[in-house]
Amino acid sequence: MSALYERHMISDSIGFNTIIDPKFKTNTINVRFILPTSKEKSAGFALAASLLTTSCRKYPSIAALNRKMNRLYGGSASVDVSKLGDFQIITASFSALCNCYALDNEDILGELLDIAENCLFDPNVTEKGFSENEFAIKAKDLLDTIEAEINNKRGYAVRQCLNIAYKDEPSANLVYGTRETVLELTPESTFEAYKKMLSSAAIEIFFVSPEEEPALADKFREMFAKADRKNASVLPSFITPSRLKPEPEEVTETLPVAQCKMVMAFKTDCKDPQTMTLMNMLYGGVPFSKLFTNVREKLSLCYYCSSSYSETKQTLIVDCGVLKSNIKTAKAEILKQLRAVAEGDFSDELLDNTRMSAYNSIKTLGDTPSSYVRWYFTDLVRGVSRSVEEALAAYKAVTREQIMEAASSLKLDTVYILEASEEEAADNE
């Protein structure tokens, strides 16, 4: 990774990040709106965001905006909605060819900025709010997304477990809202949600380019000066550890599924992200991990069994697909493998291979503009600034004893079981 990175504030609540790497041929603008997740508001923010790169007053239809983007040598405009800990991240992205590669000295970046400004600050609205036709299309898309997530039973089981683990915490709120909150939205209320997002969110802007554009920060400062942001949020503290329950809570839900799902949530007070990352990978995060090798391969207790770690919530999740008759045995073996890591029962070869996997994931950074944005945004989340060399050194410095201590710190908080009915279970035994 050979990028030149710089960040400075263009207002009290807006950070401007430039990432310059000569190997790229495009300019990428990434505007991130950061808002607390909310049972009442997240659906409105998500739907409003989806409408911003669909059209605007200057390009008042999907076709018109797409035609304009295609003229910019196949430019693109899109929105992504995600969740990080207790926060909803709405990302509007705009990308097009860099000026130095355009024909006839065209100002492609100037046109891309004009599109971004029109999409973000002059959406396609009437006196009744967003265009009713486009509102209806995007509302249906959002409902379809919610329905698709419910139908994905593995993902559904993980979300149900986290909802229980994070009960009464903002992170338990769904990033897209619920079907009910989406159905309550109107073009008018969604437009109000857009205005609230624009005025109140903390914002991080990323510009990834092969060459510097010194005037760009001032242009974004002028854009956002149009919005009343005197009460806007500043960049929050993303690390909000979840409270450990006094006793583990186990919940079983029965649905007509062919395969039972079990998800286990463990919480920790370990604050070292490198140690927890390696510990998670060694335990269940890679194809040669303890869970994969023992629970899935040697004992054949699960169709799949893996772990993942949320640094912002300091929570480790193990999820597996399992026969109903194997649930208790699988649970016991998952706990046994965690104890094994805590007691140092893992080979030097496994530790070395795990460390190498972590190295490889870092060394691929910079292949795409989005990988740079993820890297530097993660630094903001952690409140650190690091080079690739420093990150590699941090992983190299993690000792066997630290991994054992990290595993020992994990305490079982929640077990969620999505159980097949007796009839379904019998058919799959």
Side-chain angles (χ1 to χ4, degrees):
M1 188 172 73
S2 57
L4 177 64
Y5 171 72
E6 184 178 348
R7 177 180 184 263
H8 65 276
M9 303 300 293
I10 61 175
S11 81
D12 291 342
S13 58
I14 304 175
F16 187 80
N17 305 261
T18 57
I19 304 166
I20 307 302
D21 190 329
K23 73 169 174 284
F24 292 129
K25 301 295 189 291
T26 58
N27 289 317
T28 298
I29 297 167
N30 185 290
V31 183
R32 296 192 166 200
F33 298 87
I34 302 160
L35 300 142
T37 59
S38 166
K39 187 180 298 184
E40 296 79 19
K41 297 177 182 178
S42 289
F45 292 143
L47 183 51
S50 70
L51 287 157
L52 294 184
T53 55
T54 299
S55 65
C56 57
R57 200 183 303 273
K58 187 172 183 179
Y59 305 103
S61 68
I62 297 173
L65 183 57
N66 284 342
R67 280 196 298 270
K68 178 60 181 177
M69 295 306 305
N70 287 335
R71 292 191 192 105
L72 302 185
Y73 300 87
S76 65
S78 63
V79 163
D80 177 70
V81 181
S82 61
K83 184 166 66 173
L84 183 61
D86 290 344
F87 297 91
Q88 183 183 36
I89 313 292
I90 291 171
T91 305
S93 299
F94 305 88
S95 181
L97 191 71
C98 183
N99 286 1
C100 60
Y101 297 105
L103 302 174
D104 302 322
N105 297 315
E106 297 166 90
D107 184 12
I108 302 298
L109 179 58
E111 294 192 58
L112 187 67
L113 283 171
D114 180 70
I115 291 170
E117 182 173 9
N118 278 281
C119 286
L120 295 176
F121 296 95
D122 195 16
N124 186 15
V125 296
T126 67
E127 66 277 2
K128 293 184 178 181
F130 280 105
S131 160
E132 290 196 18
N133 181 53
E134 290 179 1
F135 169 84
I137 292 171
K138 288 299 180 180
K140 184 180 183 304
D141 287 347
L142 190 56
L143 289 170
D144 288 344
T145 298
I146 293 170
E147 187 68 24
E149 290 195 340
I150 293 171
N151 290 333
N152 176 354
K153 296 308 181 192
R154 181 176 182 178
Y156 172 81
V158 170
R159 284 192 304 279
Q160 290 295 89
C161 180
L162 293 179
N163 287 344
I164 300 163
Y166 302 151
K167 184 180 179 181
D168 299 327
E169 298 176 32
S171 192
N173 296 317
L174 300 176
V175 69
Y176 298 115
T178 64
R179 180 176 179 83
E180 292 72 26
T181 54
V182 173
L183 290 172
E184 289 172 359
L185 294 171
T186 65
E188 296 90 338
S189 66
T190 305
F191 183 53
E192 290 302 315
Y194 153 76
K195 291 191 289 186
K196 180 71 173 176
M197 179 184 80
L198 197 63
S199 65
S200 67
I203 295 173
E204 287 294 324
I205 302 169
F206 290 84
F207 175 63
V208 188
S209 175
E211 56 188 20
E212 295 189 45
E213 295 288 342
L216 198 59
D218 286 335
K219 291 181 179 178
F220 273 103
R221 184 182 289 110
E222 292 170 7
M223 284 187 204
F224 280 96
K226 301 174 184 178
D228 179 10
R229 290 184 52 81
K230 59 179 178 292
N231 295 317
S233 301
V234 297
L235 191 69
S237 173
F238 286 91
I239 310 299
T240 54
S242 183
R243 299 178 298 275
L244 178 68
K245 293 180 176 64
E247 295 293 334
E249 181 176 359
E250 183 165 322
V251 175
T252 299
E253 181 179 6
T254 301
L255 289 176
V257 293
Q259 182 188 104
C260 299
K261 317 290 181 187
M262 179 169 63
V263 186
M264 304 169 69
F266 300 82
K267 296 179 181 177
T268 178
D269 57 5
C270 178
K271 296 179 173 60
D272 184 340
Q274 284 78 30
T275 298
M276 283 306 305
T277 297
L278 284 183
M279 182 270 143
N280 169 65
M281 293 174 70
L282 186 149
Y283 177 50
V286 292
F288 47 83
S289 65
K290 297 283 282 183
L291 291 182
F292 185 91
T293 301
N294 293 284
V295 183
R296 185 184 184 278
E297 294 294 294
K298 287 184 180 179
L299 300 176
S300 299
L301 290 172
C302 300
Y303 299 100
Y304 61 86
C305 186
S306 63
S307 67
S308 59
Y309 180 65
S310 168
E311 181 182 337
T312 56
K313 302 300 294 180
Q314 290 179 204
T315 302
L316 183 141
I317 295 294
V318 175
D319 74 303
C320 61
V322 58
L323 290 175
K324 190 171 183 175
S325 58
N326 285 339
I327 288 175
K328 288 184 179 180
T329 308
K331 178 183 174 183
E333 189 62 28
I334 288 167
L335 293 172
K336 178 182 176 182
Q337 293 304 319
L338 183 60
R339 287 194 300 272
V341 178
E343 293 167 1
D345 181 14
F346 53 90
S347 67
D348 290 338
E349 181 183 11
L350 175 57
L351 178 56
D352 290 341
N353 288 341
T354 301
R355 211 187 301 270
M356 190 59 64
S357 291
Y359 293 169
N360 290 340
S361 67
I362 292 175
K363 289 180 178 179
T364 60
L365 291 169
D367 289 351
T368 63
S370 61
S371 69
Y372 273 134
V373 174
R374 284 194 301 271
W375 174 268
Y376 288 110
F377 189 69
T378 298
D379 276 3
L380 287 177
V381 168
R382 290 177 174 169
V384 300
S385 179
R386 60 191 176 140
S387 65
V388 164
E389 291 72 23
E390 289 169 335
L392 292 172
Y395 281 120
K396 186 176 181 180
V398 175
T399 65
R400 168 183 286 270
E401 290 71 26
Q402 286 175 306
I403 290 176
M404 293 165 58
E405 186 177 349
S408 297
S409 74
L410 287 164
K411 309 299 181 188
L412 183 61
D413 179 271
T414 303
V415 179
Y416 171 81
I417 299 169
L418 179 58
E419 194 173 73
S421 65
E422 294 292 341
E423 182 178 344
E424 293 282 353
D427 289 343
N428 287 279
E429 292 292 337

